């Protein structure tokens, strides 16, 4: 018995040594790794429980769990499940070991298992390091923005009061022999622009809070702007404490000298401002696009720049004349000196503010885009029915519209979309995607993301599952309508990232297809079949497109209408083609061609 075991283990030892050193270590260290993995799992479980207790203790109605914490907890749960599965196989794995655990009766099996154990142990170590959270909850973004806006409003009011105090004190102290200090003038200009910018942010606040509550990530930049402006107001307030507000001017020569210096400086800064504006406008021209518009602060700067430059240029032109008045001791020019100093301060402030790191910001498209609508015939009742389903039936999630090609399915879907564009409703966004026969999931993801996110090169490089996660994150926080036009096979919405409509969420999916079978596969809860027009409706539509028909052509025209099979697209297309045709031969030829292609009419595109 011992000899048999010896021979067997010897053969196994030879085979094990055929493995490279790294593979052998997985087997040799398996016993130690199993013990370490069990200990690490228990420590990870304890850490997970601690983090969960922290979340429970710290969460309030106005607080939410940090996404990073939620993601970590999810990864920990998955890791513990994986470890438990491995440990459940530990006894069987140990029985395969021989030679004091340095070899195995089944090297391949033990190597594979040992490698899985080692990887899990490494994963646990990583999770333990990641789980050292200083904070596990954060203020709800909308609540945080609301608090910051209220703080900004208070800080702005305090800054305004301080500015008014400075202005009043300067008015009391200024006189024929005293002039406001340049740093005071600059501060007043800075305070004025800061107050204007704060007012703009406060005014946009309610709209941006509503976006955040809907899960719109586009305005996280706005949250940052508010926080930054709050800091700016505090800085400007701190600089608004002066020991002196005015300085004494001893003689007319001081006024003349000061005016000459200020005019030269003003002329130089005006040229700089013009060059700066040219550069900003060039950047705006290059960077603005469908999902990018100029920043509000850039637009504000441009609107303030133009009148300042105009006034400054006029002052520079009038400068020599005002200097001569000063030499004649004309009192009216003393006020001109003060105005030049004030405009100079404003110009200096504008120059400082014109160095923009970014001139445009990303914006989401309109919630609903009206589509080019073709003339319709006989769809009014179907339109009203589907509209009622979408807006009144709270139990509804998915609607399928089916019928042969050319029967008017896309036209009907267009009408529904445009009714959303012209009617008040409670949906956050309406999305239109053309699926087509050649199903391309990545193209569907791209079309959806262009509507709800910011499509750029970086996003385009993501893999399909990452794109699906992004789409799901946004749509799961919105009440949406998704139109899928021309569906030829089942579209796996889960792979795309589209959350299935939930009754409590109220979102809707509406698609068009030629097949009733596709409606069932897409799990449409309600279906609408678009039927061909009857003979009377077909003739009315055809006459509307073709115009006057000579009596001798009428029989042929009636045959043409019959061959169109009640398909609106065919009737409209052929009606337009035959408009103004009075020759009998032309109509006979058209009928002959139509009959030869009659079967293809049943599959005309564009329905």
């Amino acid at each position: 018995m011992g000899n048999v075991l010896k021979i067997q283990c010897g053969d196994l030892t030879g085979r094990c040594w055929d493995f490279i050193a790294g593979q052998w270590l997985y087997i040799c260290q398996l016993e130690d790794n199993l013990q370490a993995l069990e200990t690490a799992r228990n420590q990870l479980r304890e850490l997970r429980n601690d983090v969960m207790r922290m979340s429970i203790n710290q969460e309030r109605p106005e607080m939410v769990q940090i996404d990073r914490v939620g993601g970590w907890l999810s990864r920990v749960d998955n890791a513990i499940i994986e470890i438990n599965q491995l440990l459940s196989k530990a006894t069987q794995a140990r029985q395969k070991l021989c030679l004091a655990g340095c070899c195995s009766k089944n090297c391949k099996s033990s190597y594979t298992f040992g490698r899985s154990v080692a990887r899990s142990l490494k994963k646990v170590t990583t999770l333990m390091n990641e789980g050292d959270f200083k904070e596990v909850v954060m203020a709800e973004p909308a609540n945080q923005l609301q608090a910051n806006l209220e703080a900004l409003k208070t800080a702005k009011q305090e800054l305004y009061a301080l500015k008014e105090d400075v202005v009043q004190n300067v008015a009391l102290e200024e006189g024929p022999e005293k002039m406001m200090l340049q740093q005071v003038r600059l501060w007043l200009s800075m305070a004025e622009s800061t107050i204007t910018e704060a007012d703009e942010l406060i005014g946009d606040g309610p709209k941006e809070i509503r976006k955040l509550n809907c899960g719109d990530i586009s305005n996280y930049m706005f949250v940052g702007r508010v926080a930054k402006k709050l800091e700016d107001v505090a800085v400007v307030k701190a600089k608004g404490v002066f020991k002196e507000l005015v300085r004494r001017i001893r003689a007319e020569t001081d006024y003349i000298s000061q005016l000459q210096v200020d005019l030269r400086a003003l002329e130089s800064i005006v040229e700089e401002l013009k060059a700066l504006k040219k550069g900003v406008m060039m950047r705006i021209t290059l960077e603005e696009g469908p999902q990018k518009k100029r920043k509000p602060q850039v637009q504000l700067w441009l609107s303030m720049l133009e009148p300042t430059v105009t006034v400054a240029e006029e002052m520079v032109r009038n400068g020599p004349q005002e200097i001569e008045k000063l030499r004649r001791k004309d009192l009216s020019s003393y006020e001109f000196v003060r105005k030049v100093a004030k405009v100079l301060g404003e110009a200096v402030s504008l120059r400082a503010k014109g160095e923009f790191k970014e001139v445009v910001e990303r914006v989401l498209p309109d919630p609903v885009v009206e589509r080019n609508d073709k003339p319709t015939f006989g769809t009014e009742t179907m339109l009203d029915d589907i509209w009622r389903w979408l807006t009144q039936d709270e139990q509804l999630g998915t609607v399928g519209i089916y019928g042969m090609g050319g029967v008017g399915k896309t036209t009907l879907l267009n009408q529904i979309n445009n009714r959303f564009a012209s009617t008040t409703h409670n949906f956050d966004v309406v999305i239109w995607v053309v699926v087509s026969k050649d199903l391309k999931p990545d193209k569907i993801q791209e079309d959806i993301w262009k509507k709800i996110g910011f499509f750029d090169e970086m996003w385009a490089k993501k893999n399909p599952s990452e794109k699906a996660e992004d789409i799901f994150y946004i749509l799961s926080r919105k009440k949406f309508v998704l139109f899928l036009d021309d569906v030829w096979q089942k579209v796996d919405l889960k792979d795309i990232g589209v959350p299935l409509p939930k009754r409590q969420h109220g979102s809707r999916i509406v698609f068009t297809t030629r097949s009733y079978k596709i409606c069932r596969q897409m799990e449409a809860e309600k279906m609408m079949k678009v039927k061909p027009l009857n003979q009377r409706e077909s003739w009315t539509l055809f006459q509307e497109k073709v115009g006057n028909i000579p009596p001798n052509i009428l029989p042929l025209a009636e045959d043409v209408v019959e061959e169109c099979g009640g398909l609106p697209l065919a009737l409209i297309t052929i009606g337009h083609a035959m408009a103004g045709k009075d020759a009998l031969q032309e109509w006979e030829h058209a009928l002959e061609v139509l009959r030869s292609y009659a079967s293809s009419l049943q599959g005309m595109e564009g329905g």
Side-chain angles (χ1 to χ4, degrees):
M1 181 70 180
N3 291 335
V4 173
L5 179 61
K6 182 177 180 180
I7 293 170
Q8 184 182 16
C9 288
D11 292 340
L12 291 172
T13 302
R15 279 182 287 168
C16 286
W17 281 113
D18 291 339
F19 280 76
I20 62 173
Q23 294 172 325
W24 173 77
L25 283 175
Y26 283 128
I27 299 174
C28 190
Q29 296 176 354
L30 178 57
E31 181 62 39
D32 291 339
N33 283 348
L34 280 170
Q35 294 178 11
L37 183 61
E38 186 170 3
T39 302
R41 177 202 60 182
N42 295 337
Q43 292 173 343
L44 182 62
R45 185 182 289 157
E46 291 167 359
L47 181 59
R48 178 200 62 181
N49 293 342
D50 288 342
V51 172
M52 291 177 67
R53 277 192 291 269
M54 287 173 61
S55 294
I56 294 170
N57 291 335
Q58 295 180 20
E59 275 195 28
R60 300 289 185 275
E62 70 277 6
M63 308 291 284
V64 292
Q65 189 180 74
I66 295 174
D67 287 344
R68 187 164 55 90
V69 175
W72 181 84
L73 287 171
S74 177
R75 292 195 300 275
V76 167
D77 287 339
N78 291 334
I80 290 175
I81 292 172
E82 179 183 317
I83 292 168
N84 288 339
Q85 291 173 346
L86 287 173
L87 292 177
S88 68
K89 301 175 184 177
T91 301
Q92 183 181 356
R94 287 186 174 106
Q95 291 174 350
K96 295 178 183 178
L97 298 177
C98 62
L99 290 180
C102 289
C103 195
S104 173
K105 300 170 187 176
N106 188 331
C107 290
K108 182 178 180 182
S109 173
S110 295
Y111 157 69
T112 302
F113 184 76
R115 183 181 59 180
S116 298
V117 171
R119 288 180 176 176
S120 291
L121 190 57
K122 184 178 179 181
K123 184 186 295 184
V124 171
T125 303
T126 301
L127 288 170
M128 293 289 290
N129 292 333
E130 291 177 350
D132 184 18
F133 298 106
K134 295 180 179 179
E135 295 178 338
V136 294
V137 297
M138 63 180 290
E140 184 76 54
N143 294 333
Q144 185 64 57
L145 178 57
Q146 179 68 51
N148 284 350
L149 284 167
E150 290 174 358
L152 181 61
K153 185 176 181 180
T154 301
K156 183 217 68 170
Q157 291 170 345
E158 293 173 354
L159 178 60
Y160 180 81
L162 180 60
K163 179 185 77 81
E164 290 299 302
D165 285 343
V166 171
V167 170
Q168 291 175 11
N169 290 332
V170 168
L172 292 173
E173 296 181 28
E174 266 192 322
E177 296 182 358
K178 290 184 179 180
M179 179 182 293
M180 186 192 309
L181 289 171
Q182 183 69 14
Q183 58 266 39
V184 177
R185 198 177 304 280
L186 287 174
W187 180 86
L188 286 172
S189 176
M190 187 187 305
E192 187 65 41
S193 60
T194 302
I195 290 169
T196 302
E197 292 164 3
D199 279 333
E200 180 184 354
L201 292 172
I202 292 167
D204 291 341
K207 175 183 67 176
E208 301 298 333
I209 289 172
R210 286 195 296 272
K211 286 184 180 180
L212 276 178
N213 284 328
C214 294
D216 190 341
I217 64 171
S218 67
N219 64 339
Y220 284 140
M221 296 173 66
F222 181 84
V223 177
R225 285 172 55 202
V226 171
K228 178 64 169 60
K229 190 53 59 183
L230 194 55
E231 295 175 2
D232 291 346
V233 172
V235 170
V236 175
K237 279 170 58 182
K239 292 181 177 180
V241 180
F242 302 98
K243 292 182 179 180
E244 295 180 328
L245 298 173
V246 299
R247 68 181 179 90
R248 183 178 295 279
I249 297 179
R250 294 181 295 278
E252 287 79 6
T253 54
D254 289 336
Y255 276 105
I256 294 172
S257 176
Q258 182 65 45
L259 180 58
Q260 289 173 331
V261 170
D262 286 352
L263 285 171
R264 284 195 297 270
L266 189 59
E267 185 175 15
S268 175
I269 289 178
V270 164
E271 294 304 314
E272 291 180 29
L273 288 175
K274 287 181 177 179
L276 199 56
K277 177 188 176 184
K278 184 178 180 181
V280 169
M281 291 304 300
M282 186 177 296
R283 289 172 62 191
I284 290 173
T285 302
L286 292 173
E287 297 177 26
E288 269 190 323
Q291 284 191 297
K292 290 184 178 180
K293 70 172 184 178
R294 67 184 69 179
K295 287 188 165 186
Q297 54 266 45
V298 175
Q299 184 58 44
L300 178 63
W301 181 81
L302 289 169
S303 65
M304 294 169 64
L305 180 68
E306 198 61 43
T308 301
V309 168
T310 301
V311 171
E313 287 180 329
E314 184 179 359
M315 285 180 167
V316 171
R317 287 194 301 269
N318 295 336
Q321 177 184 346
E322 297 296 333
I323 289 172
E324 287 302 318
K325 288 183 179 180
L326 282 174
R327 291 194 174 105
R328 298 195 302 268
K329 298 183 180 181
D330 187 336
L331 293 178
S332 64
S333 288
Y334 291 113
E335 184 60 27
F336 181 79
V337 175
R338 293 188 175 88
K339 288 181 179 179
V340 169
K342 179 182 178 183
V343 172
L344 178 60
E346 293 172 354
V348 170
S349 177
L350 283 172
R351 182 180 61 180
K353 292 179 179 179
E355 299 292 341
F356 298 104
K357 290 182 179 180
E358 296 178 342
V359 295
V360 298
E361 62 183 1
R362 291 169 171 177
V363 293
L364 290 175
D366 294 334
V368 189
V369 176
E370 188 169 1
R371 297 179 59 80
N372 185 23
D373 206 359
K374 298 177 182 178
T376 59
F377 197 92
T379 61
E380 293 80 6
T381 301
M382 290 185 289
L383 173 62
D384 290 339
D385 287 344
I386 295 175
W387 181 257
R388 188 174 61 256
W389 295 347
L390 297 178
T391 57
Q392 298 180 20
D393 189 346
E394 297 181 358
Q395 305 301 313
L396 181 67
T398 305
V399 174
I401 301 173
Y402 70 100
M404 65 177 65
V407 79
K409 301 182 299 296
T410 297
T411 300
L412 179 58
L413 202 63
N414 262 326
Q415 290 178 310
I416 302 168
N417 176 87
N418 291 350
R419 184 169 287 192
F420 276 110
S422 61
T423 307
T424 301
H425 55 83
N426 61 350
F427 291 93
D428 299 315
V429 62
V430 177
I431 307 164
W432 182 286
V433 177
V434 177
V435 179
S436 75
K437 191 172 185 177
D438 184 17
L439 177 63
K440 295 180 179 178
D442 58 332
K443 179 64 168 57
I444 297 175
Q445 288 181 320
E446 179 181 318
D447 288 345
I448 293 175
W449 190 250
K450 284 179 178 178
K451 185 68 179 180
I452 64 173
F454 302 116
F455 182 81
D456 54 19
E457 186 177 348
M458 184 179 299
W459 193 85
K461 290 180 179 178
K462 290 186 175 184
N463 62 48
S465 61
E466 290 174 329
K467 292 177 179 178
E469 288 177 3
D470 289 345
I471 291 170
F472 183 86
Y473 180 83
I474 299 299
L475 288 185
S476 62
R477 288 160 173 77
K478 289 183 179 293
K479 187 174 182 182
F480 65 87
V481 178
L482 173 61
F483 292 127
L484 299 173
D485 187 35
D486 198 21
V487 177
W488 286 72
Q489 55 185 292
K490 181 182 178 182
V491 180
D492 195 328
L493 297 175
K494 184 178 178 182
D495 290 346
I496 300 296
V498 177
L500 297 180
K502 298 177 181 178
R503 292 176 181 175
Q504 67 271 23
H505 194 265
S507 293
R508 306 282 189 262
I509 295 173
V510 187
F511 63 90
T512 66
T513 180
R514 300 186 181 195
S515 168
Y516 173 81
K517 180 181 178 181
I518 298 298
C519 287
R520 304 297 298 178
Q521 291 176 350
M522 293 287 289
E523 299 180 2
E525 292 152 325
K526 286 203 174 181
M527 290 174 274
M528 174 69 73
K529 182 177 182 180
V530 183
K531 299 178 181 179
L533 302 178
N534 59 37
Q535 185 65 27
R536 181 181 56 80
E537 292 171 334
S538 297
W539 179 252
T540 301
L541 179 59
F542 185 77
Q543 275 192 312
E544 181 183 312
K545 303 305 172 186
V546 78
N548 293 326
I549 302 175
N552 63 319
I553 301 294
L554 277 175
L556 284 171
E558 291 173 351
D559 289 342
V560 166
V561 169
E562 184 176 353
E563 291 298 330
C564 287
L567 300 180
L569 182 57
L571 291 162
I572 292 171
T573 303
I574 296 169
H576 279 307
M578 299 308 295
K581 308 282 188 183
D582 295 334
L584 193 65
Q585 294 82 355
E586 289 179 303
W587 281 87
E588 289 174 342
H589 177 68
L591 182 60
E592 181 181 345
V593 171
L594 193 57
R595 283 172 174 165
S596 66
Y597 287 100
S599 60
S600 67
L601 283 178
Q602 304 303 314
M604 289 188 71
E605 299 293 338

